[in-house]
């Protein structure tokens, strides 16, 4: 079989112009067979042409040996076979040459032209030889046999090798196309795998952020109130025992609630119980932990499991007031219900803002404003300057700096706007607007 020029260049490991040693051996064998055939037919050619027999034999051997270069110069091989057709030699060379020409990457018009020349040469030579046989009486089939034999011989010596070569050429092109498609598909699959890995990494990072935000919502507010109540308990333990008892009860209740919520999340981490878990022995998906964290966070105020809502702002503010904060709540517009995520986010914004006041501005008067508008809900939590310098740190509340970031992420996820910063009077303001 023949190969394309690209294959010659890419995989040329054989001698000279051959791609492989196997092809070289095949061509040498075909050339020897063709030389032997043409050499044997050289006897008759020398007799008919009136030449010495050695001359005819040498001529036939040289002509038949041209088949050795069929892969490099297929046109030359076909032209030589056409040239020696009148001498009635080179039949094997003609067949193999036409096949090689048709199977090569040469333009089809060249293949068609040389095939037509070979057909015409074989037709003419066969017609002349057959007619001479009829005239001499060697053939007694009649005059009709001359054109029949000429046409069938010409077709038999031309059509099969050309058709076979075209088939091999089309098959090779198909295989190359399939190979290219397979390589392209492999590259696409590799690219998709890399993109999938990037998306998975992004999803893991997003899930970690959500888990951290939910756990912060669960723990930060309650623990902050516990610390504030504990400080107040220490201050009034001897002066007002009844108030100390109430503060101690509040601290105990908040501590038990915080522990319960933490146990729910840590239980998922330890045992794998939760959405998407496959077994206690396998690693827990981040989605399962995040779901558990979200459920626990939704129970931070409402133990019914439906999650906090704006209707519970009074209770939230009451907890801060019980811890010694002076809080004023004002509501504008017609009160109505919103989507669950909107109400939870609005509640969390107010909750985190009050927690920050406990941490950084203890004793400062705080204003909570809620505005119900046509297509949005707005909230603002603003505190005045603490009455004493350093009052915000008197109870020793630590700060991780994640509260404001978590609020901004929650509001942005719903398409809202979040702004926070100090006021001119020395206080701090947190504002958010969420589409309803």
């Amino acid at each position: 079989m023949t190969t394309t020029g690209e294959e010659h260049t890419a995989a040329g490991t054989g001698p000279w112009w051959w791609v492989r040693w196997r092809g070289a051996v095949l061509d040498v064998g075909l050339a020897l067979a063709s030389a032997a055939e043409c050499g044997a037919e050289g006897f008759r050619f020398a007799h008919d042409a009136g030449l010495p027999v050695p001359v005819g034999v040498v001529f036939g051997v040289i002509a038949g040996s041209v088949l050795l270069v069929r892969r490099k110069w297929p046109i030359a091989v076909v032209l030589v076979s056409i040239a020696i057709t009148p001498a009635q030699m080179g039949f094997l060379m003609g067949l193999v040459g036409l096949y090689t020409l048709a199977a090569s990457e040469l333009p089809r018009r060249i293949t068609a032209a040389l095939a037509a020349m070979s057909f015409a040469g074989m037709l003419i030579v066969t017609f002349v030889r057959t007619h001479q046989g009829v005239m001499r009486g060697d053939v007694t089939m009649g005059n009709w046999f001359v054109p029949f034999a000429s046409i069938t011989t010409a077709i038999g010596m031309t059509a099969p090798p050309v058709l076979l070569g075209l088939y091999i050429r089309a098959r090779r092109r198909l295989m190359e196309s399939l190979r290219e498609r397979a390589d392209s598909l492999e590259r696409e699959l590799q690219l998709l795998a890399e993109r999938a890995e990037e998306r998975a990494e992004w999803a893991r990072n997003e899930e970690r952020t959500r888990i951290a935000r939910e756990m912060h919502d669960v723990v930060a507010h309650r623990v902050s109130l516990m610390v504030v109540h504990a400080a107040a308990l220490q201050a009034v333990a001897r002066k007002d025992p009844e108030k100390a008892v109430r503060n101690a009860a509040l601290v105990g209740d908040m501590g038990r609630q915080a522990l319960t919520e933490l146990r729910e999340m840590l239980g998922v981490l330890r045992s794998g119980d939760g959405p998407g878990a496959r077994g206690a022995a396998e690693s827990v998906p981040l989605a399962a932990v995040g779901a558990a964290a979200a459920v626990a966070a939704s129970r931070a105020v409402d133990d019914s499991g439906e999650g906090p809502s704006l209707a519970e702002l009074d209770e939230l503010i009451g907890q801060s007031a019980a811890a010694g904060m002076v809080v004023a709540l004002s509501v504008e517009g017609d009160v109505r219900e919103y989507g669950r995520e909107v109400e939870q986010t609005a509640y969390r914004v107010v909750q985190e803002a009050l927690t920050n006041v406990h941490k950084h501005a203890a004793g400062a008067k705080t204003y909570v404003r809620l505005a119900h508008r046509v297509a949005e809900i707005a909230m603002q939590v603003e505190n005045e300057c603490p009455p004493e310098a350093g009052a915000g740190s008197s109870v020793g509340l630590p700060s991780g700096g994640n509260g404001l970031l978590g609020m901004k992420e929650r509001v942005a996820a719903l398409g809202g706007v979040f702004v926070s910063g100090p006021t001119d009077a020395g206080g701090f303001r947190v504002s958010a607007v969420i589409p309803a």
Side-chain angles (χ1 to χ4, degrees):
M1 303 299 176
T2 61
T3 55
T4 63
E6 293 181 357
E7 290 174 340
H8 274 287
T9 303
T13 59
W16 295 342
W17 56 83
W18 284 283
V19 178
R20 289 181 293 269
W21 279 95
R22 183 178 60 184
V25 172
L26 175 63
D27 286 358
V28 170
L30 290 175
L32 291 175
S34 178
E37 176 204 352
C38 294
E41 292 169 348
F43 286 98
R44 183 174 54 184
F45 170 70
H47 180 268
D48 294 340
L51 297 174
V53 173
V55 174
V57 172
V58 172
F59 174 76
V61 170
I62 294 175
S65 300
V66 176
L67 193 60
L68 186 67
V69 298
R70 70 182 185 95
R71 295 177 190 263
K72 190 171 181 62
W73 297 300
I75 296 178
V77 173
V78 175
L79 289 177
V80 171
S81 68
I82 294 174
I84 63 176
T85 299
Q88 288 188 315
M89 64 174 61
F91 297 106
L92 176 62
M93 183 169 59
L95 292 172
V96 177
L98 286 175
Y99 161 78
T100 305
L101 180 67
S104 67
E105 295 301 323
L106 292 172
R108 290 189 176 181
R109 62 178 181 274
I110 296 178
T111 302
L114 291 177
M117 292 173 59
S118 178
F119 176 84
M122 184 61 64
L123 179 67
I124 294 172
V125 171
T126 306
F127 182 88
V128 172
R129 293 293 183 179
T130 307
H131 185 266
Q132 290 176 353
V134 171
M135 294 301 295
R136 290 195 303 264
D138 297 337
V139 179
T140 59
M141 301 292 293
N143 293 332
W144 63 269
F145 181 74
V146 175
F148 174 78
S150 302
I151 294 174
T152 54
T153 302
I155 293 176
M157 295 295 294
T158 306
V162 172
L163 294 177
L164 180 60
L166 292 176
Y167 166 75
I168 295 300
R169 177 181 180 179
R171 183 176 177 273
R172 183 174 59 249
R173 286 189 173 182
L174 176 62
M175 296 302 295
E176 292 175 355
S177 175
L178 293 177
R179 190 179 299 109
E180 291 177 358
R181 291 183 182 180
D183 294 340
S184 176
L185 180 60
E186 184 177 357
R187 289 192 296 268
E188 291 179 1
L189 290 177
Q190 184 177 1
L191 181 60
L192 289 175
E194 293 176 356
R195 291 181 178 177
E197 185 177 355
E198 293 176 358
R199 288 195 296 267
E201 182 64 24
W202 176 85
R204 284 193 292 268
N205 292 334
E206 288 293 318
E207 196 63 29
R208 290 190 188 99
T209 302
R210 190 170 75 93
I211 292 171
R213 187 168 59 242
E214 298 291 354
M215 293 188 70
H216 181 275
D217 292 337
V218 169
V219 177
H221 183 69
R222 294 192 187 278
V223 174
S224 299
L225 291 180
M226 288 172 60
V227 175
V228 173
H229 281 293
L233 176 62
Q234 183 180 5
V236 303
R238 295 182 180 180
K239 299 178 182 180
D240 191 350
E242 293 183 358
K243 187 175 181 180
V245 170
R246 290 196 299 272
N247 286 343
L250 288 174
V251 171
D253 290 341
M254 292 179 183
R256 281 189 292 272
Q257 293 174 0
L259 285 175
T260 300
E261 293 156 0
L262 283 176
R263 285 194 186 102
E264 291 180 0
M265 288 183 289
L266 295 178
V268 174
L269 289 172
R270 289 181 177 275
S271 63
D273 295 334
R278 294 184 178 182
E282 299 181 2
S283 59
V284 181
L286 285 175
V289 182
V295 172
S298 68
R299 297 176 181 172
V301 176
D302 186 4
D303 291 337
S304 64
E306 297 179 356
S309 62
L310 292 176
E312 300 167 8
L313 277 182
D314 292 333
E315 182 179 353
L316 178 65
I317 293 175
Q319 292 177 355
S320 296
M325 180 188 294
V326 180
V327 190
L329 172 64
S330 62
V331 181
E332 300 176 2
D334 297 332
V335 179
R336 64 183 188 274
E337 292 185 357
Y338 300 93
R340 180 178 178 183
E341 292 184 354
V342 174
E343 296 217 1
Q344 286 186 2
T345 301
Y347 179 93
R348 294 300 187 194
V349 169
V350 177
Q351 181 189 54
E352 181 59 30
L354 293 177
T355 301
N356 287 340
V357 175
H358 283 294
K359 291 181 179 180
H360 308 292
K365 187 173 182 179
T366 305
Y367 302 92
V368 179
R369 301 180 180 90
L370 190 66
H372 298 274
R373 300 172 184 171
V374 177
E376 61 188 17
I377 178 173
M379 64 225 64
Q380 184 183 88
V381 179
E382 180 180 352
N383 63 274
E384 297 178 351
C385 183
E388 298 179 3
S393 59
S394 60
V395 295
L397 284 169
S399 176
N402 296 319
L404 294 176
L405 179 60
M407 284 191 286
K408 185 176 181 180
E409 290 174 349
R410 282 182 177 276
V411 174
L414 297 179
V417 178
F418 177 85
V419 179
S420 63
T423 62
D424 296 336
F428 198 83
R429 180 186 298 118
V430 173
S431 303
V433 179
I434 305 175

